[in-house]
Amino acid sequence: MNCTGCGTWSCSSRDGRYPEGCPTAHPTPVQAQALREAREAYEDPRVRAVAHAAAWTEKTGYCKWTRLEETVEFARRLNYRRIGIACCVGLRREGNVVARVFRDCGFEVHSVICPVGAIPKDEIGVPDEAQFKPGTGEPMCNPIGQAALLAAEECDLNVVVGLCVGHDALFLGESFRRGVPATVLVAKDRATGHNPAAAIYCAQTYFAARLASHSSKEDRG
């Protein structure tokens, strides 16, 4: 599949100009099965409710609401009461602001930072070269623990505030596994002030050389 390079995006416009290899108009057997299963998933009342609320939020706040406002209104649309915030310890101040906004909007808020539980990285076999201070019992980020604690508090919706790449993947997966929908409010990017889109918009100018330095196919271990 190469949807980003399609050029027609007829699945959105429905103008009938579907290119060869389009999974909407010309799916392989595997793709057709995947799409059938996806369509069936929307028969689940909980999934359908989230999809409806997402569509309403998109239409109502289009180009008017910030992502923070969208998250507030999305939660209200679903009559959620408890909001969980999974926050990076490095963005604890930002997380505190987000928590205050949700509380001011009438939600009950539970927040948990990434090193919760203070599990040493050595415990899961993280090698010294992947630690900042080897031999000190350096605590690992614990996104599984964050999801578990927020589920234990019976949160209706979890909001990610600046979890690292990889840690966010673990958190989102575990949150979903435990039946709590989750959304990302802040994507961690220390180099751009947590604005990862900056590297995309400047991929052929300011960030071109930096991005090219990662294109090597050498084995990085």
Side-chain angles (χ1 to χ4, degrees):
M1 294 184 291
N2 183 30
C3 287
T4 55
C6 169
T8 65
W9 300 287
S10 295
C11 54
S12 178
S13 65
R14 303 191 71 177
D15 62 7
R17 297 182 299 122
Y18 296 102
E20 289 298 321
C22 172
T24 297
H26 312 291
T28 65
V30 171
Q31 291 169 343
Q33 177 62 25
L35 288 172
R36 281 195 296 271
E37 292 175 358
R39 202 158 191 162
E40 291 169 1
Y42 290 104
E43 296 303 318
D44 183 321
R46 291 187 62 190
V47 173
R48 181 168 289 199
V50 171
H52 283 195
W56 177 87
T57 303
E58 178 189 17
K59 172 63 167 57
T60 308
Y62 198 76
C63 293
K64 295 187 296 185
W65 292 343
T66 64
R67 190 174 180 90
L68 180 55
E69 291 173 296
E70 286 186 338
T71 307
V72 167
E73 295 302 333
F74 172 78
R76 280 179 170 165
R77 186 72 178 180
L78 286 162
N79 295 315
Y80 288 160
R81 185 171 66 87
R82 293 183 179 179
I83 303 296
I85 296 176
C87 185
C88 170
V89 65
L91 276 81
R92 57 192 180 278
R93 294 179 182 83
E94 292 85 346
N96 193 41
V97 172
V98 173
R100 175 178 57 77
V101 169
F102 275 107
R103 290 193 183 101
D104 287 347
C105 290
F107 296 95
E108 178 182 323
V109 179
H110 298 269
S111 60
V112 56
I113 60 172
C114 53
V116 66
I119 302 172
K121 291 181 179 179
D122 294 331
E123 186 173 309
I124 64 166
V126 175
D128 287 352
E129 60 267 25
Q131 298 190 36
F132 290 98
K133 297 178 180 179
T136 64
E138 182 178 312
M140 60 177 269
C141 291
N142 185 12
I144 301 295
Q146 288 176 291
L149 287 170
L150 294 176
E153 295 294 339
E154 299 183 345
C155 290
D156 300 305
L157 174 70
N158 289 335
V159 178
V160 171
V161 178
L163 297 186
C164 296
V165 172
H167 298 145
D168 56 0
L170 289 171
F171 176 81
L172 293 169
E174 185 66 13
S175 183
F176 178 79
R177 191 183 74 80
R178 291 176 178 270
V180 185
T183 186
V184 176
L185 179 61
V186 180
K188 168 74 70 59
D189 191 332
R190 300 176 184 88
T192 65
H194 310 304
N195 175 23
I200 300 170
Y201 294 136
C202 300
Q204 295 180 324
T205 54
Y206 299 112
F207 285 92
R210 289 178 58 169
L211 294 172
S213 72
H214 295 278
S215 65
S216 171
K217 296 182 180 180
E218 295 178 4
D219 181 12
R220 298 180 182 274

